[in-house]
Amino acid sequence: MLEIILRISLLCISLAMLGLLYRVVKGPSAADRVIALDAMGINLIAIVALISILLDTSAFLEVILLVGILAFIGTVAFSKFLEKGEIIEHDRNR
Amino acid sequence: MIEIVKIIAGALILFGAFLSVVATFGVIRLPDVYTRNHAASKSATLGVMSILLGTFLYFWIEHGHFNSRVILAIVFIFATSPVAGHLISRAAYNSGVPLWEKSVQDDLKGKNQIRQAEK
């Protein structure tokens, strides 16, 4: 029973990632693409969690935390680049 | 007891998958960047938190394995995903992405010129 639920959920999340991929390809502005990529990263976390239940191993649970941190850092860097034009600023008196 | 907790975990996982699909429909169908961000950053966050809670319950009950990293991931996602949504929405507004043409209120309009003049 739980396995059927897991497979249905994996299917739903894969379809969700396909829809987000459509937004990444089409999105009119850069911010649309960054939002869609951030949501794709979050869905990827869900896929890793579901697959680790399906394979019945807890060896992949560190990947969840890692992908979460990387998605957050990537989104912050992209939004800073869109807003200010550079990610790490050098001048002191701005 | 174990069967009940497995049913609860399955319900949480199904709910999370449903919320992810809802977030994707919002991201596809809503008209401008800000409404899309509203859909993506709330709904996907709650969906993934619920899926991770189901995963945690499954490993705790089925294997007796209290995995604290999943709890940490839930807390981390809950703390950072709205912040990321706020940052990208702010960057979109400041880089001049237009609102939906039928939106009626823009409270931030003109505030940027005032801030630039104060500098």
Side-chain angles (χ1 to χ4, degrees), chain A residues 18-80:
Chain A
L18 273 184
L20 291 172
L21 193 64
Y22 163 78
R23 184 49 73 191
V24 171
V25 172
K26 184 172 171 286
S29 67
D32 281 303
R33 298 192 168 99
V34 179
I35 288 169
L37 280 175
D38 187 44
M40 277 178 88
I42 288 186
N43 279 343
L44 194 64
I45 294 173
I47 285 182
V48 172
L50 292 181
I51 284 182
S52 73
I53 296 183
L54 265 181
L55 296 180
D56 213 9
T57 169
S58 60
F60 300 131
L61 294 179
E62 287 89 356
V63 178
I64 294 172
L65 201 51
L66 200 64
V67 173
I69 294 171
L70 285 181
F72 177 62
I73 291 176
T75 309
V76 169
F78 258 115
S79 63
K80 202 165 175 195

